[in-house]
Amino acid sequence: QVHLVESGGGSVEAGGSLRLSCTAAGISFMDYCMGWFRQAPGKEREGLGFVFNGGAGTKYAASVRGRFTFSQDNAKNTAYLQMSSLKPEDSGIYYCAAPIDRALCGMASRFYHYWGKGTQVTVSS
């Protein structure tokens, strides 16, 4: 079955950088679009953006545009979220997700069926 696994989270100082990875099994990122989300304690899950057309296309939420970059390595079937200029408000659990309809991704959680378990990102001031 489909499994998504995030990795690369950790604790960093404000202004620092992290690169998260999302490795997929059971689907190919050459064919499936995918999304990135985060959730802070007591807050709703926030869509960060999504990747489509085999990694050639990206859509970013305004809150992270210019600081976060999506990419993927199709040979490794892995998607990446490069985060820079991190702020304390970026702290939370970060998730990757894939839709059941391989071509239908969007900013909202409702587009997605498969989710990783998340990886914690903590940004200290």
Side-chain angles (χ1 to χ4, degrees), residues 38 46-50 58-70 81-85 87 90 107:
R38 68 185 179 190
E46 176 187 11
L48 304 176
F50 54 93
T58 55
K59 176 74 173 181
Y60 296 92
S63 60
V64 303
R65 189 179 300 118
R67 299 189 299 121
F68 290 14
T69 302
F70 308 137
L81 169 54
Q82 177 68 49
M83 306 185 294
S84 62
S85 301
K87 308 171 182 178
D90 293 319
M107 295 296 295

Side-chain angles (χ1 to χ4, degrees), residues 66-118:
R67 299 189 299 121
F68 290 14
T69 302
F70 308 137
S71 63
Q72 62 187 61
D73 184 336
N74 291 329
K76 296 181 178 179
N77 206 26
T78 298
Y80 301 99
L81 169 54
Q82 177 68 49
M83 306 185 294
S84 62
S85 301
L86 284 163
K87 308 171 182 178
E89 53 262 45
D90 293 319
S91 297
I93 302 175
Y94 282 68
Y95 300 90
C96 59
I100 195 163
D101 185 328
R102 65 184 184 179
L104 289 179
C105 286
M107 295 296 295
S109 297
R110 62 182 173 86
F111 289 96
Y112 303 93
H113 183 71
Y114 304 106
W115 295 83
K117 293 181 179 179

